[in-house]
Amino acid sequence: FENIAFMHTRSDAITIIAPSHVSLVNVTIACIGRSAAYIANGTNVSVAGATVNNLGASGVTISGGDRLTLTPTMHQVVDSLITNYALRCLTYNPGVQIAGVGNHVLRNEIAYAPHSGIMGGGNDNEVAYNVVHHTVLETFDSGAFYDFPVDWTAQGNTVHHNLFYLNGIGRVPCNSWTSCVRSSVYLDNG
């Protein structure tokens, strides 16, 4: 799929389950009531050069691979612009959500959100060369990159050569019921 616009829907724009060798290239996904794209299982799905904005919930979710055998899924989100998301569902709806084994999030700009820019975990995932700014604007106990490993076997993930700036600068006051942490990289429960 190339040079296509997905716009003005009240639900999710794209759901792809168990795909193999699918590419979304130079697509525009905008003014979506929920999430831009949900890609689960399968192998080698690429979201490349996408413009994603004005979303009620999350941007792009990629998950797959086999954690038992560490077989990678090789899904990727690359060279994309993801902005103004989580407008209705403010928390746990990042610009990019990763889960599973062998996903890649490379060279994206992710910005303007109440909570995290990139979220997730699993095994052997790579997050590199991204620019993440103006996230964590309305929440606490979070970060622009937020990982919350639920078990000790979630290992081998790499986060390198990213630029994080102006995250956590919102004016929402902290209260005694929450952690007041706002950071660029936040490894929770670890």
Side-chain angles (χ1 to χ4, degrees), residues 51-128:
T51 300
V52 179
N53 60 56
N54 296 316
L55 310 171
S58 61
V60 179
T61 297
I62 52 175
S63 68
D66 186 333
R67 290 198 58 218
L68 185 62
T69 63
L70 296 180
T71 303
T73 188
M74 304 304 290
H75 294 332
Q76 62 178 356
V77 179
V78 297
D79 302 319
S80 295
L81 174 63
I82 302 170
T83 62
N84 298 301
Y85 53 90
L87 298 175
R88 293 183 54 220
C89 303
L90 303 183
T91 57
Y92 299 97
N93 284 290
V96 177
Q97 172 80 48
I98 53 177
V101 182
N103 294 293
H104 302 278
V105 180
L106 309 169
R107 300 180 306 275
N108 301 288
E109 181 178 354
I110 301 168
Y112 303 107
H115 201 235
S116 298
I118 302 169
M119 180 180 279
N123 297 86
D124 304 329
N125 296 302
E126 180 183 26
V127 176

